[in-house]
Amino acid sequence: MTDTKTTILHQERIVPQIFRLCLSSPGIAQEARPGQFVHLRIREGTDPLLRRPFSIHRVDRERGEVQVLYQVVGQGTRLLSRKPVGERLDALGPLGHGFEVSEEGGGVLLVAGGIGIAPRFFLCEDWLRGRAGTALIGARTRDGILCHDLLRSGGVTVHIATDDGSFGDRGVVTDLLNAQLEAGREASASPIVYACGPVAMLASVAALCRAYEVPCQVSLESRMACGLGACLGCAVKVRSSVPPGYEYQRVCTEGPVFEAEEVIW
Amino acid sequence: MSTVLSKKNVPDLSIEIGPIHLKNPVLAASGTFGYGQEFEAVMDLSRLGGIVTKAITLEPRLGNPPPRIVETASGMLNSIGLANVGVAAFVRDKMPFLRSCGTAVIVNVAGRSMEEYVEVARRLSDCPGIHALEINISCPNVQEGGLAFGADPKVAAAVIGAVRDVTQLPLIAKLTPNVTDIAGIAAAVQEAGADAVSLINTLVGMAIDATRGRPELGGVTGGLSGPAIKPVALAMVWKVAQAVRIPVIGMGGIMNAGDALEFMLAGAVAVQVGTANFVDPTSTIRIVEGLEDTLRERGMGSVKEIIGALEV
Ligand SMILES: Cc1cc2nc3c(=O)[nH]c(=O)nc-3n(C[C@H](O)[C@H](O)[C@H](O)COP(=O)(O)OP(=O)(O)OC[C@H]3O[C@@H](n4cnc5c(N)ncnc54)[C@H](O)[C@@H]3O)c2cc1C
Ligand SMILES: Cc1cc2nc3c(=O)[nH]c(=O)nc-3n(C[C@H](O)[C@H](O)[C@H](O)COP(=O)(O)O)c2cc1C
Ligand code: FES
C-alpha cells in the first residue's frame, strides 16, 4: 500500500453529475486488484476534513494510470469534480479486500446499479478476458447507464434495465437477474454473481442468489475515516458462528467485497 | 548557546512523563491508531514517542451499531463504542507486535464497573513491554446509572486508587471534557495516585439528517473530535496544567506541529494525535519533524524549554 501524491491526468464529465478521473500512480496501478479502492484527500485544510473512498474503476499498469468513476453527491465530490488537470492529489491505496475470482464454474454474472458499475469494469478487464461474462446494468434513467459500450466491446454480453424504460427493459436490475438465474437453472449452468450498487438492490440480489443457490459477492459501502482498519468506523454487521450470532467487520479491511451470505442486511 | 546545539545541531525532543522516558513528545491517541500494526505499511513506527492502544476491556466487545461516524464542520463524531478484542486476546495477539515497534506502548483501559478496570489493569501488569496504562474514565459507569466515572471527582479518584493498588505500571488518567470543573477532577486523580493526566477525550455531540428525520449515528449521540475541538482542549489543558503537579498530556484537534506547540506552551509535557491520523496517516511523524525544525529555527536545545512557557 502506498501513500502518494498522484497527479490528475484527465478529468471528464460523462453525464451530468458523473465524472471520470484519471490519476498517475504507478504504485497503485501495479498493486491494485479488482474491488479495491483508493482513499482520496480532496483538499488541504479542515473542510472537508476526512478522505473520501472510491473504487478503482480501471488501471493501466504499463502507463501507471488509475481511473475512478464517481458521482457528485456532496461537498467532497463537488470539489473533486472542479479539480484541474495537473493538480496533485493525495491518494492512499490500493486498500481493502477485492473480489475473489474462482477459475472453475460456469459464467460470471455482473450486477450493477447506478454508479456501482465502477469496480465492475476493472473486474471485467482484468479477469474476464476470454471467459463468458454477462453484465446486468440498472439505473433510474438512461443517463445512469454507464460503460455498456466499453463492456460490449470487451466481449461482455450486456443487458440493461431502467426504471422509466428510457433505455433497455423497463424495470429493475433484479428482474434481469431473476431471468438470468432462471435460464441458468434450466441449462444447469451455475454462474457466480458479483454485485455492487445501492444497499436495497444488493439485499434483493443476495436474496435471489440464495434462492437459486448461486454464489454471490457484494461490494459494500460505508462511511470511512482511516481506511486502514484502525478506527472501526466502517463496520458492517455479518453473521458469526459464536453468540450473539453476529459480529462487525470493517468495510475497509475485510471488505469492501463480502460473500453475500455473510452479510446481515 | 545550548550545549545540545553543538551536537550536530539536533535539538533534544525527549521528555519524561513521571517515570516514563519518551524519545519525543508525540503519541498516537487511543482509538485512532488501532493496535499499531494498521499503520505499519505507511510509516516507521519507531519514530513515534509512543502508541496508545484502543481501549481494552475484560471481555471482547462488539461495539455500537452503524453508522458509527459522521463528518461535521472541521471535525467528526464517532460512536464506535468500546469495540475491542478483550484483554486476553490483546495480550496474546496484539502485544507481540507492539513490543517490537521500538516505541513506548501505553494501553488504554476501560470498564463498566470498578472491578472491570481493576481486573484489566491487573492482567496487563503481568504482560511485558507495556510502559504505562491510560485509564479511560470517560466511559459510562453502569453502577452509577451511566454517568461517566470521570464526571465526579470522588468516583474518578476511587477508580484510579483501586487500579493503583494492583499495578506498579505508571498510570495516566484520561479525563473527559464533559464536566463543569475538569481541574477539580484532575486534582482528585492526582491525590489518588495518578502519575499523569491526559486530556481531552471527545465532547458529546450529535448530528441529524433532517431529510430522513433521523440521527446520523447508530448510537444517536457520539464524541466530537478534530480541529473543531482544539480551542476547548487548549483551554482545559491550560487550566489543568495550573491545577496539578503531575505531567499533563494534551490532545484535541492537533493537526500539525504548530498545534502541538500551542498545547506545550499551555503546559502539556506531551501531546496525542488522534483524528489527524485519518486525514494523513503520517501526521504523527510530520509533527515530530515539525517540532524539531521549530526548535532548530529558534535555537532551542530541548523541547522542554517550550513546556508551559506561555506568557499570560
Ligand atoms: C469502498 C467504497 C467505494 C466507493 N466507490 C465509489 C465509486 O466508485 N464512485 C462513487 O461515486 N462513489 C463511491 N463511493 C461513495 C463515495 O465515497 C461517497 O459518495 C463520497 O464519500 C461522498 O462524499 P461527499 O463529500 O461528496 O458527500 P458528503 O457530503 O460526505 O455526503 C453526501 C451524501 O453521500 C453520503 N455518503 C457519504 N459518504 C458515503 C459513503 N462512503 N458511501 C456512501 N454514501 C456516502 C452521505 O450519507 C450523504 O447522503 C464509495 C464508497 C466506499 C466506502
Ligand atoms: C474513532 C475514535 C475512537 C476513539 N476511541 C477512544 C478509546 O477507545 N479510548 C479513549 O480513551 N479515547 C478514544 N478516542 C478519543 C481520542 O483518543 C482523543 O481523545 C480525541 O479524539 C481528541 O483528539 P483528536 O481531536 O486529536 O482526535 C477516540 C477518538 C476517535 C475519533
Ligand atoms: S475506515 Fe477506519 S477501520 Fe475502516
Side-chain angles (χ1 to χ4, degrees), chain B residues 115-169:
Chain B
E115 295 72 40
E116 186 172 0
Y117 280 101
V118 168
E119 187 54 21
V120 175
R122 203 183 54 73
R123 297 215 198 167
L124 290 170
S125 303
D126 299 334
C127 175
I130 296 175
H131 295 72
L133 301 182
E134 182 176 67
I135 309 300
N136 176 4
I137 49 174
S138 320
C139 356
N141 175 351
V142 271
Q143 282 149 6
E144 302 266 324
L147 198 70
F149 285 94
D152 180 283
K154 283 196 209 73
V155 180
V159 175
I160 298 300
V163 173
R164 179 76 291 165
D165 289 342
V166 298
T167 182
Q168 299 294 313
L169 285 169

Side-chain angles (χ1 to χ4, degrees), chain A residues 55-58 68-70 112 114-122 147 196:
Chain A
S55 300
I56 297 172
H57 170 55
R58 219 174 161 180
V68 163
L69 189 70
Y70 68 94
I115 194 74
I117 192 71
R120 220 51 13 118
F121 197 67
F122 186 8
C147 304
C196 185

Side-chain angles (χ1 to χ4, degrees), chain A residues 191-202:
Chain A
I192 174 162
V193 172
Y194 299 96
C196 185
V199 175
M201 178 207 111
L202 293 179

Side-chain angles (χ1 to χ4, degrees), chain B residues 6-25:
Chain B
S6 56
K7 272 200 270 166
K8 284 203 315 195
N9 211 2
V10 180
D12 179 13
L13 287 182
S14 70
I15 53 117
E16 278 80 39
I17 301 174
I20 329 162
H21 176 84
L22 298 184
K23 66 178 93 171
N24 67 59

Side-chain angles (χ1 to χ4, degrees), chain B residues 93-117:
Chain B
D93 304 334
K94 307 295 179 185
M95 270 311 292
F97 175 82
L98 282 165
R99 214 178 273 134
S100 73
C101 287
T103 188
V105 178
I106 299 174
V107 182
N108 187 277
V109 174
R112 286 210 188 107
S113 65
M114 192 89 89
E115 295 72 40
E116 186 172 0
Y117 280 101

